[in-house]
Amino acid sequence: MATSPVAVVCVGMAGSGKTTFMQRINNYLHVNKKKPYVLNLDPAVLNVPFQPNIDIRDSINYKEVMKQYNLGPNGGILTSLNLFATKIDQIITLLEKRANPPADSKIVPPQHFLVDTPGQIEVFVWSASGSILLESLASSFPTVIAYIIDTPRTSSTSTFMSNMLYACSILYKTKLPMILVFNKTDVQDAEFAREWMTDFEKFQEALREEESKGVFGGEGFGGSGYMGSLLNSMSLMLEEFYSHLNMVAVSSMTGDGIDDFFEAVEEKKQEFERDYRPELEKRRKEREAESAAKREHDLTKVMRDMNVNPRPKASESRAAKEGTSDEEVEEEEAVDGDEYPDAEREDEDDEGLKRRYTNTLREQGIVVDDDDPAVAQMIAATKRAVQ
């Protein structure tokens, strides 16, 4: 039995080399005869150096969205993602079909789904549409976040710690396995970052060196020692955070470290199945239970509004009417018929009742199928009412 493909979602600050990294890993998989399935979720990009199988630009015109809704660049990207997220069920269906081709088909299912995201990282990670896209992916496939970091720009303790804090927030927001990808190692080696993440004393040494050079300023904010104290505290806090991450150093230009990256992807895939999927299943069941409870409440309300209540037996009805004229009895029975509309259809078959109740529920805004258990419950209640 074929294993499920792993979805690799690439996120990173603008200018971190995310799109070039996507091109490199896409090329690596093609060269190794492991053709991936690629998604581009950046509506504002003009050209991408790879051929996406699903491209948000095919269905969303970013410039038209900005013009129509009178938005700026970030608002246009966010709104485009929101519009695209309304079709997430179709996207997941396409991915599932691609991952499980027919048995008699010659199509080889991909081992990787590669997802490129907008450079405005906060627009994707912190938006409702970004959450919908990630949760939908994770509900169907093992999903890994690849956080791309610009290594040359992270060489100071303050910028390094800023990136780590952002990575920490993304990890706990998405609740998905994460790989820290230190990119552009052809410009600057990332060994310093590995040392700072694994050896607290090394980070302290670098921090003291920067303080002695006046990197944080002279008198006032930096010179008071506040910045050094803050970075010390954050370093201690993130020590536990580092233990849950895989860190790889790569160069998108030369291809160095790409083997290490895919080894980390496989490791995180196993971690997803072992640690993350049970939690996702638990949250899914909780949502389904809440939905079922709400559905039951809505169904009860609809049945009450339709007066699906027990009807008095005919003998009891006549006994209650003793001493009244025939005209009065007929008039009261007519009223009873209005109060109990289902009683007038004692000879109606189940299919007729099913059609009526399905239409009524849909009018109430409750979406049901013809074979929905809620409809069967209402039919059974009607039969009890008219007996």
Side-chain angles (χ1 to χ4, degrees):
M1 180 179 177
T3 59
S4 178
V6 56
V8 181
V9 182
C10 296
V11 300
M13 301 286 190
S16 61
K18 181 168 51 61
T19 301
T20 310
F21 176 75
M22 276 284 297
Q23 178 193 22
R24 175 58 64 181
I25 60 176
N26 181 47
N27 179 70
Y28 174 89
L29 291 172
H30 274 87
V31 168
N32 286 276
K33 311 299 183 184
K34 299 177 181 178
K35 186 178 179 181
Y37 200 79
V38 185
L39 293 79
N40 172 46
L41 299 183
D42 189 349
V45 67
L46 294 179
N47 298 294
V48 289
F50 50 85
Q51 182 61 47
N53 300 94
I54 296 178
D55 196 334
I56 188 175
R57 297 174 300 168
D58 292 338
S59 54
I60 306 293
N61 188 321
Y62 166 69
K63 290 185 177 179
E64 271 304 311
V65 169
M66 287 178 62
K67 181 179 178 181
Q68 183 174 346
Y69 295 98
N70 193 28
L71 299 169
N74 287 346
I77 293 173
L78 179 59
T79 303
S80 297
L81 280 171
N82 289 341
L83 294 171
F84 191 68
T86 61
K87 304 297 182 183
I88 188 61
D89 56 331
Q90 298 177 24
I91 298 165
I92 297 299
T93 299
L94 284 173
L95 296 181
E96 289 176 341
K97 287 182 178 178
R98 191 67 182 83
N100 301 284
D104 57 349
S105 173
K106 295 182 180 180
I107 297 175
V108 179
Q111 297 180 27
H112 300 86
F113 293 131
L114 306 181
V115 185
D116 193 17
T117 61
Q120 288 77 357
I121 185 172
E122 67 281 355
V123 171
F124 180 78
V125 174
W126 299 103
S127 67
S129 54
S131 297
I132 291 169
L133 291 165
L134 285 176
E135 288 179 8
S136 300
L137 264 179
S139 66
S140 300
F141 309 100
T143 304
V144 177
I145 302 293
Y147 180 56
I148 317 301
I149 298 171
D150 188 337
T151 305
R153 294 183 183 177
T154 317
S155 55
S156 71
T157 56
S158 56
T159 54
F160 172 81
M161 194 54 62
S162 296
N163 267 282
M164 294 302 102
L165 285 173
Y166 214 120
C168 181
S169 65
I170 293 172
L171 176 66
Y172 291 109
K173 173 65 170 64
T174 60
K175 296 181 177 65
L176 292 171
M178 177 183 285
I179 302 171
L180 294 182
V181 181
F182 282 84
N183 196 15
K184 304 184 183 180
T185 55
D186 55 304
V187 178
Q188 179 168 351
D189 186 49
E191 190 57 33
F192 74 92
R194 193 184 303 276
E195 288 181 349
W196 290 353
M197 292 176 65
T198 56
D199 190 337
F200 179 74
E201 291 301 324
K202 289 286 185 181
F203 182 80
Q204 294 296 306
E205 183 181 328
L207 183 58
R208 286 192 296 269
E209 184 179 345
E210 289 185 2
E211 285 180 321
S212 66
K213 291 179 180 179
V215 172
F216 305 131
E219 297 297 328
F221 178 75
S224 66
Y226 174 80
M227 191 65 173
S229 176
L230 176 63
L231 293 177
N232 264 324
S233 301
M234 289 192 294
S235 179
L236 284 169
M237 179 194 73
L238 292 177
E239 196 168 3
E240 176 67 19
F241 165 69
Y242 295 146
S243 64
H244 297 286
L245 298 177
N246 282 49
M247 179 263 186
V248 295
V250 306
S251 170
S252 297
M253 292 299 293
T254 65
D256 289 342
I258 299 300
D259 286 323
D260 296 337
F261 172 74
F262 279 104
E263 287 178 9
V265 168
E266 286 304 310
E267 184 178 331
K268 288 299 179 183
K269 178 182 178 181
Q270 300 303 321
E271 182 180 323
F272 178 92
E273 297 289 0
R274 182 181 67 251
D275 301 330
Y276 287 80
R277 188 177 291 282
E279 181 64 24
L280 289 171
E281 289 294 324
K282 178 183 176 182
R283 295 207 304 267
R284 181 182 61 80
K285 289 178 180 178
E286 288 175 353
R287 287 195 298 268
E288 288 179 352
E290 291 175 2
S291 177
K294 184 178 183 302
R295 186 185 186 85
E296 182 68 22
H297 177 269
D298 292 343
L299 175 61
T300 302
K301 183 176 182 298
V302 170
M303 292 177 68
R304 185 170 59 248
D305 292 344
M306 294 177 65
N307 283 325
V308 181
N309 297 308
R311 181 193 181 196
K313 294 184 180 295
S315 58
E316 295 175 356
S317 178
R318 291 194 187 93
K321 296 181 180 65
E322 287 181 0
T324 60
S325 64
D326 292 341
E327 292 81 2
E328 289 172 332
V329 170
E330 290 176 1
E331 182 179 349
E332 290 179 12
E333 287 180 347
V335 172
D336 286 345
D338 291 335
E339 289 181 356
Y340 305 100
D342 298 304
E344 298 177 357
R345 295 180 171 85
E346 290 185 27
D347 58 342
E348 187 171 14
D349 60 9
D350 287 358
E351 287 301 319
L353 289 171
K354 183 186 293 184
R355 284 194 298 273
R356 287 200 300 118
Y357 285 142
T358 300
N359 293 335
T360 301
L361 288 169
R362 287 172 179 167
E363 289 172 3
Q364 296 285 335
I366 304 174
V367 180
V368 294
D369 298 325
D370 290 340
D371 297 327
D372 195 286
V375 177
Q377 182 180 348
M378 296 183 74
I379 293 174
T382 300
K383 288 183 175 180
R384 289 195 300 270
V386 300
Q387 286 175 354

